[in-house]
Amino acid sequence: NMKNRRLPFTMGGVITATLAGSMLAGCQSAPPLPPTSPEVVGEFRAGSGYLRGYLDRKALPNSLALLPKPHAEGSAGQAADLAVYTATRALRGSPRWDMATQDANLKFPKAASTFSCAMDMPISQEQTPHLNMLLRRTLLDAGLSTYAAKDSYNRKRPFVVRGEASCTPVEEPTLAKDGSYPSGHAALGWAWALVLSEVAPERTNAVLARGYGFGQAGHMFAAQALAQHERVLRADGDDQPEAQEQALG
């Protein structure tokens, strides 16, 4: 049942299969190293700062088919979402709020260090060019994978519904016009975590925990409600994946 499959897991599998296929195709001779230069890879949209992903748009997971519908307007579920959002306002000025503000920045080179602590290594264009490029390109794949559902449901973000400020005021005009469900931050955090756990399996627990926390930044900075984060990770509404529970301790 496709609706019971998790979006980030599906996308991670597609990316892994694509990369593996490329490597196997060159097994007869040493395959060329993938490019690490942003100029060679090219931007998704000129001037955006976001590089092209690995996947063709037609190969992206269909979030509209994979994820359940968002809570209905005026429902108890939506009320619960907004209650959690309201509760997070008390965290303003705390270390958790500061981390969420940092996680809201998806531009490189700043975003490259997101998983440095979890991976126990520096990640940058200079020190780890291939890993840095892996993160930059999967960012676009993860983000674009949410738009089939985003464009269909076009759910308003909590800060728009409440008429309040987010912690990323510069981005508010853009975010206000962009649907909140499913959470792009949750998709990206979990996709990055899944990819990196394959790169460094001995760091899996720390990496998964960081990816989950990164996704929570969406509702922390008022761009998404909590359920929109959770539903990306568990499309069928069941309990969190066992590995995620272990990662969170």
Side-chain angles (χ1 to χ4, degrees), residues 78-90 162 219-220 225-227:
Q78 186 189 42
D81 279 352
L82 291 176
V84 172
Y85 158 75
T86 300
T88 63
R89 303 308 90 192
R162 292 295 184 90
H219 73 267
M220 289 289 294
L226 178 61

Side-chain angles (χ1 to χ4, degrees), residues 200-213:
E202 73 281 3
R203 303 294 301 173
T204 292
N205 283 351
V207 166
L208 293 183
R210 181 66 180 102
Y212 184 77

Side-chain angles (χ1 to χ4, degrees), residues 19-130:
L19 295 176
S22 298
M23 290 188 288
L24 288 174
C27 279
Q28 300 302 321
S29 59
L33 291 174
T36 59
S37 167
E39 290 72 26
V40 173
V41 174
E43 291 185 334
F44 164 66
R45 185 180 295 112
S48 67
Y50 296 114
L51 301 186
R52 294 190 180 99
Y54 292 104
L55 304 179
D56 183 271
R57 294 291 289 269
K58 295 180 180 179
L60 292 169
N62 184 350
S63 54
L64 187 60
L66 291 168
L67 298 176
K69 293 180 180 180
H71 294 308
E73 297 286 347
S75 67
Q78 186 189 42
D81 279 352
L82 291 176
V84 172
Y85 158 75
T86 300
T88 63
R89 303 308 90 192
L91 296 174
R92 189 183 296 273
S94 70
R96 183 66 187 92
W97 183 275
D98 293 341
M99 177 175 282
T101 302
Q102 293 174 21
D103 287 346
N105 184 0
L106 301 180
K107 293 297 180 71
F108 284 72
K110 180 64 177 177
S113 63
T114 299
F115 283 84
S116 289
C117 182
M119 291 284 285
D120 194 27
M121 63 181 294
I123 301 176
S124 68
Q125 173 69 30
E126 296 73 27
Q127 294 173 286
T128 55
H130 289 285

Side-chain angles (χ1 to χ4, degrees), residues 146-213:
T146 65
Y147 272 89
K150 272 184 183 288
D151 291 343
S152 179
Y153 299 126
N154 196 27
R155 295 301 296 269
K156 291 182 179 180
R157 296 177 183 269
F159 78 86
V160 176
V161 174
R162 292 295 184 90
E164 299 174 353
S166 72
C167 67
T168 55
V170 174
E171 297 182 4
E172 284 179 10
T174 300
L175 291 174
K177 296 182 289 187
D178 189 58
S180 70
Y181 179 79
S183 166
H185 248 77
L188 175 58
W190 206 236
W192 271 349
L194 291 172
V195 169
L196 291 176
S197 66
E198 293 288 332
V199 173
E202 73 281 3
R203 303 294 301 173
T204 292
N205 283 351
V207 166
L208 293 183
R210 181 66 180 102
Y212 184 77

Side-chain angles (χ1 to χ4, degrees), residues 3-20:
K3 288 189 176 181
N4 287 337
R5 294 191 178 184
R6 297 177 179 86
L7 174 62
F9 277 97
T10 304
M11 188 190 64
V14 173
I15 292 174
T16 301
T18 301
L19 295 176

